Amino acid sequence: MSKLSAERLARAALTMVGEPGDLRLTSLVHKVGGEEVWDGLRKQHLGDEIAGDLAARIAAADPESMLRGVGRQGIRFVIPGDEEWPGCLDDLDFCAPLHARGGVPVGLWVRGSRCLSEVVESSVSIVGSRSATTYGAEVTRQFAMELAQEGHASVSGAAYGIDQAAHRGSLVAGGQSVALLSCGVDRPYPTAHRELLDWIADNGVVVSEAPPGASPTKIRFLARNRLIAALGKGVVVVEA
């Protein structure tokens, strides 16, 4: 096994046992690498130093099978050093944590037809209220359309309200969009946006720190917000 493939497998495993944006994990992996962190966790588990739910997750993690299985679904795992890795995410190492979440992602699970680093090279993050007014949603849609016509992709969270208006505006104008999820990229969330997420994947990328199959949770929503901010060259907040 090559050094790169070992590192990829280790980082994939870490996304299965840890939480997105957990500072203890992101900071340690950034310092010493995923392979060393994963090896350390497994040795502690085998030595009975780790118990409970974490021990169960370590024992159940099978990154090789996961990568092989999701690959057949068109899902890939991107890590630092890959051509598709957006360099702007490395800036998160210098940002203060929020809600005890921060740091450079261990890796990103990606579904979509486009190269993530290329799409976000010229992009704007657009976020706002889920309970948006009709006026706010329309302004967002028009703004995203105009940005797309100028060659700028939209980055948002695929939620109701402002998020979905931003995605739709870009796509209607023939542009590209990036959706950051708090669950696995194989899980449409909200479920009513299944077709929208498929549309985004066909004309951009759907991204998550959480592995395929993972459920959305409150802390994962908070963690993914830092990625939305980092991936855009600018951030527009509508009706917050």
Side-chain angles (χ1 to χ4, degrees):
M1 184 185 300
S2 70
K3 179 69 175 179
L4 181 60
S5 61
E7 181 69 13
R8 189 178 307 280
L9 287 171
R11 285 175 177 260
L14 290 171
T15 69
M16 298 176 201
V17 302
E19 279 295 317
D22 186 323
L23 281 168
R24 297 169 298 178
L25 183 61
T26 57
S27 61
L28 193 57
V29 170
H30 189 68
K31 289 176 182 176
V32 303
E35 192 176 356
E36 186 170 334
V37 175
W38 177 234
D39 285 344
L41 282 176
R42 285 190 297 174
K43 288 175 182 176
Q44 289 182 63
H45 165 55
L46 294 173
D48 294 326
E49 298 174 48
I50 296 178
D53 181 55
L54 178 56
R57 280 181 280 162
I58 292 172
D62 186 352
E64 192 165 0
S65 294
M66 171 71 86
L67 288 168
R68 189 165 53 243
V70 300
R72 291 192 288 268
Q73 302 174 46
I75 298 170
R76 54 198 183 272
F77 184 60
V78 180
I79 65 173
D82 287 345
E83 184 177 346
E84 192 171 1
W85 182 263
C88 54
L89 290 178
D90 298 335
D91 292 339
L92 288 170
D93 187 48
F94 306 101
C95 296
L98 187 62
H99 303 294
R101 288 295 179 267
V104 179
V106 171
L108 295 174
W109 297 91
V110 179
R111 177 170 74 96
S113 63
R114 310 290 181 173
C115 173
L116 177 59
S117 60
E118 292 179 0
V119 175
V120 301
E121 191 172 337
S122 179
S123 62
V124 177
S125 298
I126 307 173
V127 295
S129 174
R130 286 174 171 79
S131 301
T133 64
T134 301
Y135 172 74
E138 179 59 22
V139 168
T140 300
R141 191 181 70 85
Q142 289 288 342
F143 184 58
M145 287 179 64
E146 292 177 16
L147 284 171
Q149 290 164 356
E150 294 296 325
H152 303 290
S154 65
V155 178
S156 199
Y160 291 115
I162 298 303
D163 287 17
Q164 64 89 19
H167 291 304
R168 293 184 190 279
S170 289
L171 298 173
V172 164
Q176 300 175 349
S177 197
V178 179
L180 272 296
L181 303 185
S182 61
C183 56
V185 295
D186 59 334
R187 297 187 59 164
Y189 188 84
T191 53
H193 286 173
R194 178 186 297 272
E195 291 185 1
L196 173 60
L197 287 165
D198 287 343
W199 192 11
I200 293 170
D202 288 339
N203 298 274
V205 281
V206 179
V207 183
S208 180
E209 278 183 279
S215 302
T217 63
K218 181 179 179 179
I219 197 65
R220 290 173 183 170
F221 278 110
L222 296 174
R224 71 91 187 262
N225 287 343
R226 79 190 197 286
L227 304 187
I228 294 176
L231 287 175
K233 300 300 182 185
V235 179
V236 178
V237 182
V238 184
E239 292 191 335

